[in-house]
Amino acid sequence: SRNNPTASGIEACTNPRASLPTSTRFCRASASAPARATTSMTAAMTVAIIFFDVVKFLHVAAVVTAWGVTFAYPVLQRAAERQDPRAVPYFWRAVNRIGMVIVGPGAVLILATGIVMVIDSPAFGFADLFVTVGMVAIIVLIAFGPLFFTPAERKLAEAAERDVAAAGAGEVRFGDDYQAASRRYALVGNLNGLIVLVAIFFMVVKP
C-alpha cells in the first residue's frame, strides 16, 4: 500500500497521524473537487433565483403602474366635471396620454414578463389554469387600448371642448353626445377593472 497513492490517500484522510506528502495532496484534491462542484451549483442556482425574482418584480411593478392609476379615473372625472368643468377636456387628453405612455407599454411588459416566468419556472406551465386566465386577461386588456379606450378618450375630449366653447363665459353643461360617450366609457372601464381584479385573484390564489 505504500506504493499505492490511492491507499495512502485514504489513510491520510482517515488517519490524522498519516503525513505522507503524496497522500496529503490526494486528500486535498479529493476534498476540493466536491466543494468546487457544490460552489458552482450554488452559484448557478443563485443566478437562476435572482433572474426569476427580477422578472417577477418587473411583472408586479408593471401591474401596479399600468392598472393602478386607472381605478382613480372615475373619481377624477367626477371631480373635474363638478368642480372645474372647463378642465374636463384636459382631463381626457391627460388620460389618453397616460394610456399611450404608461398603461399600454406596461401591459406589454406584463405579458412579456409573464411569458418569461412561465418558461423559466419548473413549478407551473401554460396549461395551469391561473396562467391561462392571466394570459387571456392581459391579451384582452391590451386589445381594449387601441380598439376602445384611445379613440373614446379622444372623442370625449373633443365633445367636452365643444361644450365648453358653446358655454362661453356662462355655466358649462355637457351635452348628450358627451354624456352618452361618458357612460360607454364607464361601462367598459368597469369591465376593464373587473378583468384586472379577476386576473390578480387567480395569480395570488393559483387554483
Side-chain angles (χ1 to χ4, degrees):
S1 62
R2 294 183 179 178
N3 296 326
N4 188 339
T6 302
S8 300
I10 294 173
E11 181 184 2
C13 291
T14 57
N15 184 1
R17 296 181 179 179
S19 58
L20 294 175
T22 304
S23 302
T24 304
R25 289 196 299 270
F26 178 83
C27 179
R28 290 176 178 173
S30 300
S32 62
R36 287 196 300 268
T38 302
T39 302
S40 300
M41 184 180 298
T42 302
M45 291 177 62
T46 301
V47 171
I49 292 172
I50 291 175
F51 173 77
F52 185 86
D53 288 343
V54 169
V55 174
K56 186 177 181 179
F57 165 76
L58 292 174
H59 185 77
V60 175
V63 172
V64 174
T65 304
W67 305 120
V69 66
T70 62
F71 287 91
Y73 286 169
V75 177
L76 298 175
Q77 178 187 351
R78 294 293 176 265
E81 290 172 350
R82 294 173 183 176
Q83 299 178 18
D84 190 3
R86 297 181 185 278
V88 171
Y90 173 78
F91 164 77
W92 287 114
R93 296 198 183 282
V95 168
N96 182 256
R97 184 65 177 170
I98 291 171
M100 296 177 64
V101 175
I102 297 177
V103 179
V108 173
L109 180 59
I110 293 168
L111 178 60
T113 52
I115 292 173
V116 171
M117 284 194 297
V118 174
I119 294 174
D120 186 66
S121 174
F124 50 82
F126 289 102
D128 289 282
L129 178 60
F130 76 94
V131 175
T132 302
V133 170
M135 290 296 175
V136 172
I138 190 60
I139 290 172
V140 171
L141 293 172
I142 289 174
F144 273 169
L147 295 180
F148 176 78
F149 285 114
T150 298
E153 289 154 3
R154 290 173 179 169
K155 289 180 180 179
L156 281 162
E158 293 170 357
E161 284 176 344
R162 289 195 299 269
D163 292 337
V164 170
E171 181 182 359
V172 177
R173 294 184 179 275
F174 296 106
D176 294 339
D177 290 344
Y178 177 86
Q179 298 293 349
S182 179
R183 286 192 293 270
R184 287 193 299 271
Y185 190 92
L187 179 63
V188 180
N190 290 336
L191 176 61
N192 184 91
L194 179 61
I195 293 174
V196 171
L197 294 178
V198 169
I200 293 175
F201 174 81
F202 273 84
M203 294 300 103
V204 173
V205 177
K206 294 180 175 60

